[in-house]
Amino acid sequence: MKIFVLGAGASGLALASFADGLDVNVIDKNDMAGRKLLATGNGRCNFTNQNLDLSFYQSSRKDFFKKALANFDNKDLIAYLNLLGVDSRSLPSGRFYPTTMQSSTIRDSLYLKAKDNASFIFNEEIVDIDLDKKLLISKNNKYKYDILVLAGGGISLKNSGSDGSIFKILKGKIPQTDLVLAISNYESPDSLSRAAKGVKITGKVSLFVDNKFLAGEVNDIIFQSYGLSGTGIFNISNLISLGLRDKKKVKVLVDFLPAYSKKGLFKRLEEIFESFPKRRIEDCLIGLINKRLIGDILSRAKIERGQKANKISNEDLKGLVDLLKGMEFRISDIHNKDQAQVTIGGFDTRYISDETMESSIYEGLYFIGEIMDVSGSCGGYNIQWAFSSAKACIESIRSIHV
């Protein structure tokens, strides 16, 4: 039984590494395996998370990912990598990395195991697929297969080879959902001034789509001249991108001082102003707010810089507190799409088995990883899905082979 895997990224390598004793060939247009994997997690490869709750995943088919994740979960992945010689470590956030904190550790160890089981064909771009004749077609070659596993990724990080060409090849043959990029930075017409560029705070982000609250958390927020970035933004990124894709109104509220209630913050500012009545208001705020943000905050609050603390009215103070507890940033677009890390959308999971990853339209056609309409949040969830879906797929193929 001839098995071809199209794509030597995380999911393709995972499947090949699981495929002991099977006749597997992996084709990739790149000159090497795992190019995108090397860039994962800023070169450190956050491969799973201690909290593998289903709420961190989205798909067009409700809970499509549930069975595969239960079958091969975070503990299974950590144990499997350990068998490959990779020790791991977790951070307080729950994210797991190789102990070396190098993506190459995961990529190299996975590729070494995959090469034991599979043949790799690099620099080979597939330009067409005849699903009826079970034929892969490149510019110079044709490959006959019994089983075809599509593992070509989505449209994120195109320089890694994920250019979305597979979706064009199979358009009209296999149902697809709309594609949009995520785990990215975002542009806002409400961005702060250049003086605030690059300032990082630990604040609370709250996401509203069409004025409905969807998500919020306390984490790092970085203010950019174009809008917002940082871990807090990355962690709600999928929901932001879905809102933008569906042309809904998307906004993020930033709470600069989440440790305070509004009442508590009002009281604290009153205390400071009363203690230093002759100080300028910006000088009264330096113990609470990053100095480079104060000018923008006062401007938004319509409070003139240089005013003495004893000249600030209760109304102005209340307005300042409201702003510090919820500055609004309307989100208009994804910034720097070439650097977005994940694709939302893909081959429609309503036409794929959630147990085997096999197509319900074409027998012997399988899908694994990001190429499907399954997206995980920032935090190792997408690499976990690459392994979990690959494991479900190879177990199905092995049952046929036996």
Side-chain angles (χ1 to χ4, degrees):
M1 183 171 65
K2 203 77 171 174
I3 303 164
F4 274 83
V5 180
L6 193 53
S11 60
L13 286 174
L15 184 131
S17 76
F18 292 143
D20 305 68
L22 298 176
D23 183 4
V24 177
N25 297 272
V26 182
I27 298 178
D28 197 289
K29 68 175 69 173
N30 287 318
D31 59 0
M32 61 179 289
R35 184 182 296 276
K36 185 175 177 180
L37 194 55
L38 290 174
T40 300
N42 292 321
R44 300 186 302 170
C45 198
N46 168 208
F47 61 84
T48 192
N49 201 290
Q50 187 172 337
N51 182 8
L52 203 59
D53 192 89
L54 297 182
S55 64
F56 291 103
Y57 290 91
Q58 296 90 34
S59 177
S60 54
R61 178 177 165 191
K62 181 176 172 56
D63 290 346
F64 170 82
F65 33 78
K66 183 176 182 179
K67 291 180 180 178
L69 290 170
N71 179 59
F72 191 83
D73 64 13
N74 47 4
K75 294 182 180 65
D76 295 317
L77 178 50
I78 292 165
Y80 181 65
L81 291 175
N82 185 262
L83 287 175
L84 298 186
V86 178
D87 284 356
S88 60
R89 59 178 291 192
S90 64
L91 300 186
S93 62
R95 300 181 183 202
F96 276 85
Y97 296 83
T99 297
T100 61
M101 299 298 277
Q102 292 180 298
S103 294
S104 58
T105 298
I106 301 291
R107 182 264 180 195
D108 293 350
S109 300
L110 202 55
Y111 182 45
L112 287 168
K113 180 65 170 74
K115 283 198 300 180
D116 291 340
N117 301 334
S119 298
F120 283 78
I121 305 168
F122 294 115
N123 298 306
E124 184 75 305
E125 183 174 0
I126 298 302
V127 297
D128 198 10
I129 302 174
D130 189 325
L131 295 171
D132 295 313
K133 294 181 180 179
K134 294 192 171 184
L135 203 62
L136 291 172
I137 303 165
S138 71
K139 291 180 179 178
N140 301 311
N141 298 296
K142 294 182 179 180
Y143 302 93
K144 182 72 175 174
Y145 65 84
D146 298 301
I147 298 288
L148 175 61
V149 181
L150 298 181
I155 57 172
S156 58
L157 297 175
K158 288 185 178 181
N159 290 338
S160 68
S162 297
D163 59 3
S165 58
I166 187 65
F167 299 108
K168 296 176 183 177
I169 291 171
L170 294 179
K171 187 175 182 180
K173 300 176 184 178
I174 304 294
Q176 307 171 22
T177 62
D178 292 337
L179 304 176
V180 67
L181 295 163
I183 305 186
S184 183
N185 309 319
Y186 291 90
E187 296 177 2
S188 171
D190 307 311
S191 60
L192 301 187
S193 69
R194 295 187 66 84
K197 181 181 178 181
V199 173
K200 180 168 72 172
I201 68 167
T202 299
K204 182 179 180 180
V205 292
S206 299
L207 173 64
F208 292 81
V209 176
D210 279 351
N211 293 318
K212 180 181 178 181
F213 173 76
L214 293 188
E217 66 170 66
V218 175
N219 216 314
D220 291 342
I221 307 162
I222 302 174
F223 299 96
Q224 304 287 6
S225 56
Y226 57 78
L228 298 172
S229 66
T231 306
I233 300 301
F234 289 163
N235 287 352
I236 59 173
S237 176
N238 287 7
L239 294 173
I240 293 175
S241 288
L242 283 171
L244 293 175
R245 184 192 70 179
D246 298 338
K247 303 191 183 308
K248 295 180 178 180
K249 293 179 181 179
V250 181
K251 67 180 180 182
V252 170
L253 299 187
V254 173
D255 181 348
F256 290 82
L257 296 163
Y260 284 98
S261 65
K262 280 190 177 183
K263 184 177 179 180
L265 181 56
F266 188 94
K267 182 179 179 182
R268 178 60 177 147
L269 289 175
E270 267 191 328
E271 290 173 352
I272 295 172
F273 291 179
E274 288 173 1
S275 297
F276 308 103
K278 299 299 183 181
R279 282 190 184 177
R280 299 181 308 162
I281 184 170
E282 50 264 50
D283 293 333
C284 290
L285 296 176
I286 59 173
L288 296 176
I289 303 294
N290 186 295
K291 202 170 184 178
R292 289 166 56 194
L293 299 176
I294 292 174
D296 282 287
I297 289 169
L298 292 178
S299 177
R300 292 275 186 100
K302 295 183 170 52
I303 297 175
E304 186 178 344
R305 296 186 67 168
Q307 280 197 66
K308 297 295 189 285
N310 60 4
K311 298 297 183 182
I312 303 299
S313 68
N314 274 354
E315 184 179 347
D316 283 343
L317 183 55
K318 182 180 181 301
L320 179 60
V321 168
D322 287 343
L323 190 72
L324 289 171
K325 294 298 291 179
M327 183 182 284
E328 179 177 312
F329 293 85
R330 293 166 293 166
I331 305 299
S332 57
D333 202 0
I334 298 166
H335 181 74
N336 196 355
K337 295 179 175 64
D338 289 341
Q339 296 302 313
Q341 297 178 33
V342 73
T343 305
I344 295 177
F347 290 111
D348 196 330
T349 52
R350 289 172 292 188
Y351 301 88
I352 301 171
S353 167
D354 61 348
E355 294 185 358
T356 66
M357 305 297 127
E358 186 175 14
S359 168
S360 62
I361 301 173
Y362 289 94
E363 185 179 354
L365 176 64
Y366 292 80
F367 307 85
I368 56 176
E370 191 182 356
I371 204 166
M372 284 182 281
D373 178 23
V374 174
S375 56
S377 298
C378 181
Y381 297 100
N382 290 292
I383 293 183
Q384 175 69 56
W385 173 246
F387 276 86
S388 296
S389 57
K391 185 67 170 177
C393 175
I394 201 66
E395 287 179 354
S396 172
I397 292 171
R398 197 177 293 282
S399 69
I400 297 169
H401 184 69
V402 172

